[in-house]
Amino acid sequence: MSKSVKQVRHLKIVLLGDEGVGKTSIALRYTSDFFQENYKPTVGAAFHSKSSNYNGTVYNIKIWDTAGQERFKSLSSMYYKDCDIAILVYDITSKSTFKSIGHWERELRKNGPQDVQIAIVGNKIDLPQRSVKTKRVQMLAENKSCHFFETSAKEGTGIKHLFKKMCKKVPNQT
Ligand code: GDP
Ligand code: MG
């Protein structure tokens, strides 16, 4: 362990949200700094991994990504098991994907650990056709004790900030 590393932590992050909101793009932007306009993963539930050093703590992060099962609005309970962070994603240009946030939050509360840290994320802020107002989501997030972020996986806006902030919210195991 190098001198500047004070601690190593292993975190499981799950991505939730409707198909097409940009879950895979967010994971790829964070782990590989990569974006593809027509990226269509064809193979089953993927992991994306990354190690990040935030102020001397190394976070070994495993991001669980869906592979189209979200279309059925239901994911296996394995997916939620022992996750430290859940990222609930909607598309700021699509009201229906925002309305689904409530559904994904209920699924998470039902299947996930009690102490999970939750982020609600409005993605695609590079697009001009916004149909979900920031203020509205801020209030919802506050009511639900969730953190709120806006991102563009396409341009990379807010992505590092999202993961760094959320990693730091996870309390140390006793
Ligand atoms: P998923 O189904 O939630 O995993 O969504 P994907 O990551 O596959 O993205 C769905 C589509 O939205 C793809 O065509 C992406 O290129 C596009 N996309 C994802 N993130 C952004 C973004 O931040 N801005 C824009 N303009 N397009 C995005
Ligand atoms: Mg995907």
Side-chain angles (χ1 to χ4, degrees), residues 23-24 41 65-68 70:
K23 299 180 297 298
T24 301
D65 190 11
T66 55
E70 71 269 41

Side-chain angles (χ1 to χ4, degrees), residues 57-70:
T57 298
V58 170
Y59 292 86
N60 287 325
I61 299 163
K62 211 168 220 182
I63 303 174
W64 289 47
D65 190 11
T66 55
Q69 315 95 307
E70 71 269 41

Side-chain angles (χ1 to χ4, degrees), residues 97-161:
T97 67
F98 174 63
K99 285 195 181 125
S100 295
I101 290 292
H103 166 81
W104 291 113
E105 196 227 348
R106 282 190 296 279
E107 286 286 294
L108 174 66
R109 303 269 191 208
K110 196 166 69 188
N111 297 293
Q114 279 224 312
D115 56 352
V116 60
Q117 294 290 322
I118 307 173
I120 296 176
V121 174
N123 188 42
K124 308 198 188 183
I125 57 166
D126 57 283
L127 295 177
Q129 333 59 312
R130 176 188 283 269
S131 60
V132 184
K133 288 205 182 91
T134 303
K135 256 263 150 57
R136 182 169 169 201
V137 193
Q138 258 165 354
M139 271 158 57
L140 175 93
E142 245 168 68
N143 285 338
K144 292 183 177 296
S145 305
C146 299
H147 309 283
F148 171 59
F149 302 86
E150 287 190 332
T151 59
S152 164
K154 181 172 181 175
E155 295 181 342
T157 319
I159 301 289
K160 282 184 186 153
H161 176 74

